[in-house]
């Protein structure tokens, strides 16, 4: 028999998760990007959006924080939309590196491809794949229009963060040129790196990220606008990428303990996808040693466990 979960149970679970996690301490803000080091460490918000569009949010859900690595998700989707899932597999790959997000060693080990669009190397390659080729502003418009479609509202560039990242991204410069060496940059190197840095500097809210996650969970249909953004096949592909590498070198531990494919960013955001069920987003700046938000990961995990909705659960569930 199918287990049923009501929308009010979902709303209660999100509120309880918020209350249970709001006093969790531990972790430190990302210190290698000066802007992020200075964000208020007490900010915390969580939002759930259902395929039917209902949204439940608690805490600082309208605060715009740096999207950082979570931006790798929409740009991987865009590369799949503009080219194809196969092109992303061929030109980037879909394997976890098992190494930190900014690893140079991972590129050397793989030798000829950047492994996955959800680590720095693969994300810089993904930016180089975006059309129109050779046109920085055209590419930027495509990247931000895609995020706007996925969220149902526009992100905003945080100029100070962009400046802060551009002045300190020496490791990413090394990655970009190493990729060029392996013929894995498909446009101008400096432009591709700049687009990557700019997309990481977009300000986004948990409300927006939950809508993006719900669009992925709903086969590419944005539940807030009703617009079909991409074909359902891309949902399965991007969710598999998120599942294999979303929490960097802690991804296995994360999936084992939480049951939800999720992508984190060093701005403190986490985007989680429960296919066919819901999108979840949480945000709190202090990070663990792998770069994942301590409080946001606890809150996302709490929602999934309270509702028994992990993707590996075998009992059929219906949200009514
Ligand atoms: N802009 C950051 C970097 O390139 C993003 C890292 C992250 O969120 O994992 O280092």
């Amino acid at each position: 028999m199918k287990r049923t979960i009501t929308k009010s149970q979902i709303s209660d679970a999100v509120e309880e998760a918020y209350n249970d996690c709001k006093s969790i301490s531990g972790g430190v803000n990302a210190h290698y990007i000066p802007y992020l080091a200075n964000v208020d460490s007490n900010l915390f918000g969580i939002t759930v959006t259902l395929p039917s569009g209902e949204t439940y949010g608690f805490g600082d859900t309208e605060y715009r924080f740096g999207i950082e690595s979570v931006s790798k998700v929409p740009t991987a989707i865009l590369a799949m939309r503009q080219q194809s899932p196969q092109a992303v597999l061929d030109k980037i790959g879909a394997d976890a590196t098992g190494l930190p997000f900014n690893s140079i060693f991972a590129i050397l080990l793989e030798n000829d491809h950047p492994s996955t669009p959800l680590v720095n190397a693969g994300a810089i390659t993904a930016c180089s794949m975006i059309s129109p080729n050779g046109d920085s502003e055209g590419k930027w418009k495509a990247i931000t229009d895609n995020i706007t479609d996925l969220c149902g509202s526009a992100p905003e560039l945080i100029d100070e963060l962009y400046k802060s990242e551009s002045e300190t991204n020496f490791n990413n410069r090394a990655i970009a040129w190493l990729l060029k060496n392996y013929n894995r940059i498909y446009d101008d190197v400096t432009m591709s790196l700049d687009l990557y840095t700019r997309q990481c500097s977009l300000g986004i809210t948990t409300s927006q990220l939950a809508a993006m996650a719900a669009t992925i969970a709903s086969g590419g249909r944005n539940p807030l606008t009703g617009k079909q953004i991409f074909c359902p096949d891309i949902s399965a592909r991007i969710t598999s990428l998120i599942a294999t590498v979303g929490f960097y070198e802690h991804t296995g531990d994360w999936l084992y303990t939480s049951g939800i494919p999720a992508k984190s960013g060093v701005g403190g955001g986490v985007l989680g996808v429960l296919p066919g069920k819901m999108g979840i987003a949480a945000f709190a700046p202090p990070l663990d040693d792998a770069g994942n938000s301590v409080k946001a990961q606890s809150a996302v995990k709490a929602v999934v466990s309270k509702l028994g909705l992990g993707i590996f659960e075998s009992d059929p569930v219906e949200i009514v």
Side-chain angles (χ1 to χ4, degrees):
M1 211 179 79
K2 249 191 193 167
R3 184 163 63 92
T4 56
I5 296 179
T6 63
K7 290 175 182 166
S8 89
Q9 281 175 301
I10 294 174
S11 170
D12 289 349
V14 182
E15 185 169 12
E16 280 171 28
Y18 173 77
N19 287 324
D20 292 351
C21 298
K22 71 179 175 210
S23 47
I24 289 179
S25 56
V28 282
N29 288 24
H31 51 271
Y32 70 102
I33 300 172
Y35 173 91
L36 296 180
N38 295 323
V39 174
D40 179 356
S41 316
N42 295 314
L43 289 161
F44 174 43
I46 180 163
T47 306
V48 163
T49 298
L50 304 184
S52 48
E54 279 93 344
T55 295
Y56 311 103
F58 296 90
D60 301 308
T61 57
E62 298 310 318
Y63 180 86
R64 279 187 192 272
F65 56 93
I67 188 172
E68 296 297 343
S69 252
V70 183
S71 66
K72 292 164 179 158
V73 171
T75 299
I77 291 173
L78 182 59
M80 292 186 214
R81 289 176 67 189
Q82 289 189 339
Q83 298 197 13
S84 66
Q86 187 62 43
V88 168
L89 185 62
D90 295 342
K91 293 181 175 172
I92 302 177
D95 266 335
T97 63
L99 290 165
F101 59 90
N102 54 2
S103 177
I104 287 177
F105 196 44
I107 308 168
L108 295 171
L109 282 176
E110 287 287 343
N111 203 15
D112 69 342
H113 68 83
S115 300
T116 163
L118 301 193
V119 296
N120 290 16
I124 295 167
T125 297
C127 286
S128 80
M129 288 169 65
I130 300 306
S131 302
N133 221 41
D135 171 2
S136 175
E137 282 322 303
K139 279 161 107 66
W140 179 243
K141 183 172 178 339
I143 287 169
T144 50
D145 283 354
N146 178 57
I147 295 176
T148 302
D149 277 345
L150 294 171
C151 297
S153 59
E156 274 172 26
L157 188 69
I158 305 174
D159 291 312
E160 205 187 324
L161 178 55
Y162 176 42
K163 187 166 177 289
S164 188
E165 294 221 22
S166 303
E167 283 168 355
T168 52
N169 64 350
F170 310 114
N171 192 82
N172 287 338
R173 293 183 212 178
I175 288 175
W177 283 106
L178 194 55
L179 290 170
K180 173 74 177 169
N181 182 55
Y182 289 123
N183 296 319
R184 290 294 173 180
I185 294 286
Y186 302 95
D187 203 336
D188 180 79
V189 182
T190 310
M191 181 201 296
S192 304
L193 175 63
D194 176 60
L195 286 164
Y196 167 74
T197 310
R198 244 197 285 178
Q199 74 172 22
C200 286
S201 309
L202 286 168
I204 201 99
T205 66
T206 62
S207 305
Q208 290 180 302
L209 278 189
M212 182 189 291
T215 302
I216 297 170
S218 311
R221 181 183 168 279
N222 183 319
L224 302 185
T225 61
K227 197 169 154 190
Q228 189 71 36
I229 313 301
F230 56 79
C231 61
D233 178 48
I234 290 180
S235 267
R237 305 283 83 73
I238 191 68
T239 307
S240 82
L241 291 174
I242 294 171
T244 48
V245 76
F247 265 60
Y248 310 118
E249 68 270 37
H250 286 185
T251 304
D253 289 353
W254 166 258
L255 208 52
Y256 187 89
T257 55
S258 70
I260 176 170
K263 179 76 199 86
S264 68
V266 297
V270 171
L271 164 149
V273 179
L274 288 174
K277 305 276 187 315
M278 64 177 65
I280 309 184
F283 154 69
L287 311 176
D288 65 16
D289 57 353
N292 303 310
S293 167
V294 173
K295 225 183 248 186
Q297 59 180 300
S298 299
V300 170
K301 209 181 265 189
V303 171
V304 178
S305 122
K306 281 174 198 297
L307 296 169
L309 280 180
I311 56 167
F312 303 114
E313 304 298 333
S314 47
D315 62 328
V317 180
E318 193 181 0
I319 295 174
V320 292

